[in-house]
């Protein structure tokens, strides 16, 4: 059964495989955490509790989309508790990544739909989610989940400027 869960040790080895896939394929649209460099469960708990965060970060809840029968990690989604100035321009309330080997199978759409229920429980509305202007797959995932394109803006960062689509949805 495919379901959204809180990160769990039972799926850590599969998560690490997904991390390595992203590194090998040069995926940069979403970053999984290098679990060999830190205790990711402690890190996720600090973010959930909003404790000891870097000054430019906000609290967030992480969830993993998994296939329980195969004990297989499919994707990760972060629900940020609020927006700061940076996230209001690029990043939004929700960020997600599907492991490279599972792209184009509908998992992003399913994961976002399930995460919207979590965002509703956190009373986040309206919800902002963004993607690079050329990331048509993510744009489709957002649109399939009822998000509406608000605007496209130029966002500068790390030596480059990116056109960023900003999508909104009211869920409360």
């Amino acid at each position: 059964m495919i379901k959204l869960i809180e990160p769990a040790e039972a799926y850590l080895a599969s998560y690490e495989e997904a991390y390595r896939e992203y590194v090998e394929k040069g995926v940069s649209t979403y970053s999984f955490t290098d679990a060999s460099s830190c205790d990711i469960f402690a890190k996720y708990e600090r973010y959930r509790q909003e404790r000891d965060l870097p000054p430019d970060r906000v609290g967030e809840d992480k969830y993993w989309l998994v296939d329980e029968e195969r004990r297989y990690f499919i994707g990760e989604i972060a629900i940020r508790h609020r927006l700061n100035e940076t996230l209001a321009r690029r990043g939004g309330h929700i960020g997600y990544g599907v492991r490279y080997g599972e792209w184009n199978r509908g998992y992003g759409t399913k994961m976002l739909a399930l995460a919207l229920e979590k965002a509703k429980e956190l009373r986040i509305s309206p919800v902002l989610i963004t993607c690079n202007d050329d990331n048509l797959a993510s744009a489709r995932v957002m649109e399939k989940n009822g998000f509406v394109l608000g605007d496209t803006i130029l966002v500068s960062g790390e030596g480059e400027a990116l056109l960023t689509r900003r999508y909104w949805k009211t869920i409360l």
Side-chain angles (χ1 to χ4, degrees), residues 1-22 30-33 35 40-41 44 62-78 95-103 105 107 111:
M1 177 179 195
I2 306 296
K3 66 189 281 189
L4 198 64
I5 65 165
E6 290 186 14
E9 185 77 35
Y11 298 93
L12 185 57
S14 186
Y15 177 92
E16 291 172 327
E17 290 170 2
Y19 169 80
R20 287 190 297 274
E21 284 177 14
Y22 264 30
Y30 182 87
S31 298
F32 296 132
T33 298
I40 65 170
F41 301 113
Y44 291 172
K62 294 265 194 184
Y63 296 95
W64 288 356
L65 187 71
V66 299
D67 180 333
E68 287 183 307
E69 293 166 9
R70 296 188 296 157
R71 288 218 166 190
Y72 184 73
F73 169 86
I74 298 169
E76 178 178 78
I77 196 157
Y96 62 90
V98 174
R99 76 184 296 155
Y100 185 82
E102 299 297 333
W103 284 9
R105 297 184 183 176
Y107 290 126
M111 186 167 52

Side-chain angles (χ1 to χ4, degrees), residues 20-162:
R20 287 190 297 274
E21 284 177 14
Y22 264 30
V23 170
E24 290 167 8
K25 301 297 183 181
V27 176
S28 62
T29 54
Y30 182 87
S31 298
F32 296 132
T33 298
D34 179 1
S36 69
S37 69
C38 68
D39 178 344
I40 65 170
F41 301 113
K43 177 182 177 181
Y44 291 172
E45 184 61 20
R46 279 194 319 276
Y47 272 83
R48 192 176 70 75
Q49 295 292 329
E50 300 186 35
R51 274 184 330 201
D52 303 321
L53 301 181
D56 61 335
R57 300 296 181 144
V58 301
E60 67 182 20
D61 293 357
K62 294 265 194 184
Y63 296 95
W64 288 356
L65 187 71
V66 299
D67 180 333
E68 287 183 307
E69 293 166 9
R70 296 188 296 157
R71 288 218 166 190
Y72 184 73
F73 169 86
I74 298 169
E76 178 178 78
I77 196 157
I79 304 170
R80 299 176 189 105
H81 301 165
R82 69 188 145 285
L83 299 176
N84 60 21
E85 186 177 323
T86 300
L87 291 171
R89 295 184 51 73
R90 184 166 187 253
H93 289 102
I94 297 177
Y96 62 90
V98 174
R99 76 184 296 155
Y100 185 82
E102 299 297 333
W103 284 9
N104 300 313
R105 297 184 183 176
Y107 290 126
T109 301
K110 181 176 184 70
M111 186 167 52
L112 181 54
L114 294 169
L116 286 174
E117 290 301 315
K118 304 289 187 183
K120 188 174 184 177
E121 291 171 15
L122 291 168
R123 304 192 57 75
I124 299 170
S125 188
V127 177
L128 171 65
I129 189 168
T130 73
C131 68
N132 294 347
D133 187 54
D134 62 355
N135 190 342
L136 301 180
S138 275
R140 279 192 304 275
V141 165
M142 294 170 205
E143 291 166 0
K144 286 179 183 177
N145 275 284
F147 281 81
V148 175
L149 180 62
D151 57 10
T152 301
I153 62 172
L154 191 61
V155 178
S156 299
E158 298 183 26
E160 63 181 336
L162 295 171

